[in-house]
Amino acid sequence: NSYLSIPPSSDLTRRLPPSSLGDILRYHVLLRYFSWTDLLQIPSSGVLVTTLLQTTSRAPANFGAVNITRNPLTNTITIQSPVTFSPSNATVLSLIKTLPYNITILAVDSLLVPYDFNLMTSETRPPLGLNITKALIDGHNFNVAAAMLSASGVVNEFEADEGGAGITLFVPTDGAFGDLPGNVRLQSLPADKKSVVLKFHVLHSYYPLGSLESIVNPVQPTLATEDNGAGSFTLNISRVNGSVAIDTGIVQASVTQTVFDQNPVAIFGVSKVLLPREVFGKYSAGAMAKPGNPVVGANFQPPETSPSPENSPWLSGPASSPSGFHEDMKSNGERFRLQSCIVGLCCIGLYLLV
């Protein structure tokens, strides 16, 4: 508070429109986890780190990144624009809070402003006013998703977020819904669970395809995370075999097409329905891939317990054969040897007679 109340930070915050202030705040969010020990190991030459602002595509070149340097004599950590001699920089004062490998909150002594940041850019940007349902219907392959979004009412919440940080939607194709295992009946889920599953397909920030392909932090919270708590309902986004892969812990989908991309909304078609492990997590990815397997939350009935291998009737006996198989083989063998002896005696008798 004390640093924000003095110029130039105080002057800047007073005259910034809310939309531009949002971008300034995004510039203070690093898409990389740093513990205090990590900071003290930064080389004197510094490290370039992507911020949340860089993912919006509103910062030219790499002006949405920051350069973090450390003075090897004093261990002072400085954060500034990657542009040489940038007037905006801040010194790290202290560690406020850390959740290992997830979030670190640091106190700094100044407001950071991206180099060449146009304070009026966000203010003059006209609202998009996108009708998401119509955009999906126009895509000709997303009728099921459009119907579910419209019926659930959550699409109104998505469209309300367009004026903020933006949103990124991963929308399953009609074929993806058709490929669901037989017992995964999303329509039969309670309304609150259905809403959670739909929100699980949405990131609360605008990510064009290029940003997804080069994403720094692969574990991304979703709108469902905001309703259920940090660390839950997250997506793991990475690049696999030249395409963007989205892993829920149960299924792995890939981005198949760009349906709509205009800041601040991106809509991508995906090859599978993203099933959160918090709802369907008692079953492995292999089990989920087989039609007819039961799934939590979808009229689940526990399967009958299968006999253990050692107790299976098909694995009894030294040769792992069905029960009674060896006894039958033994009696049949004895019968064959007796018949062979009789035939042999008959042949000898005939020979003697001749």
Side-chain angles (χ1 to χ4, degrees), residues 38-324:
D38 294 334
L39 290 173
L40 295 179
Q41 293 176 350
I42 287 177
S44 57
S45 58
V47 293
L48 192 66
V49 183
T50 301
T51 72
L52 192 58
L53 175 61
Q54 186 74 38
T55 68
T56 66
S57 299
R58 289 194 288 273
N62 65 345
F63 294 169
V66 294
N67 191 39
I68 306 178
T69 59
R70 178 181 63 89
N71 186 320
L73 299 178
T74 62
N75 276 337
T76 301
I77 309 296
T78 303
I79 306 173
Q80 62 186 33
S81 168
V83 179
T84 307
F85 307 119
S86 170
S88 178
N89 62 75
T91 300
V92 176
L93 299 173
S94 62
L95 174 68
I96 298 175
K97 180 73 175 179
T98 184
L99 300 174
Y101 314 113
N102 192 12
I103 295 177
T104 292
I105 305 176
L106 302 166
V108 295
D109 67 353
S110 177
L111 194 67
L112 287 164
V113 180
Y115 180 78
D116 201 28
F117 182 66
N118 185 352
L119 299 180
M120 301 304 294
T121 299
S122 296
E123 182 182 29
T124 57
R125 184 183 68 202
L128 184 60
L130 174 68
N131 184 320
I132 294 176
T133 303
K134 183 178 183 303
L136 293 177
I137 293 174
D138 290 344
H140 303 295
N141 194 25
F142 305 95
N143 296 310
V144 176
M148 290 186 66
L149 287 171
S150 180
S152 67
V154 295
V155 69
N156 298 325
E157 184 177 336
F158 298 168
E159 291 171 352
D161 287 327
E162 292 176 9
I167 54 173
T168 300
L169 290 84
F170 301 113
V171 184
T173 62
D174 291 339
F177 284 100
D179 289 338
L180 280 171
N183 284 349
V184 180
R185 292 184 289 272
L186 296 181
Q187 294 290 1
S188 66
L189 289 175
D192 57 338
K193 286 288 181 66
K194 189 185 301 181
S195 175
V196 166
V197 172
L198 293 173
K199 291 181 178 181
F200 185 59
H201 288 69
V202 184
L203 306 183
H204 201 173
S205 190
Y206 167 66
Y207 287 94
L209 184 59
S211 296
L212 288 177
E213 291 175 336
S214 58
I215 200 162
V216 176
N217 183 7
V219 180
Q220 290 290 316
T222 64
L223 287 190
T225 306
E226 298 178 8
D227 292 342
N228 294 275
S232 64
F233 292 94
T234 58
L235 296 173
N236 193 299
I237 301 175
S238 59
R239 188 173 174 85
V240 177
N241 296 328
S243 63
V244 176
I246 306 167
D247 197 326
T248 73
I250 295 179
V251 298
Q252 179 172 296
S254 59
V255 171
T256 58
Q257 67 183 96
T258 300
V259 181
F260 183 90
D261 186 356
Q262 182 180 334
N263 190 11
V265 177
I267 304 176
F268 300 103
V270 293
S271 60
K272 293 184 180 180
V273 178
L274 304 180
L275 301 175
R277 60 184 180 277
E278 288 82 357
V279 179
F280 305 99
K282 289 188 177 181
Y283 292 86
S284 66
M288 289 296 298
K290 299 175 182 177
N293 277 345
V295 178
V296 178
N299 299 333
F300 160 67
Q301 293 295 331
E304 294 182 1
T305 304
S306 300
S308 61
E310 58 270 22
N311 295 329
S312 173
W314 290 96
L315 294 178
S316 59
S320 300
S321 302
S323 178

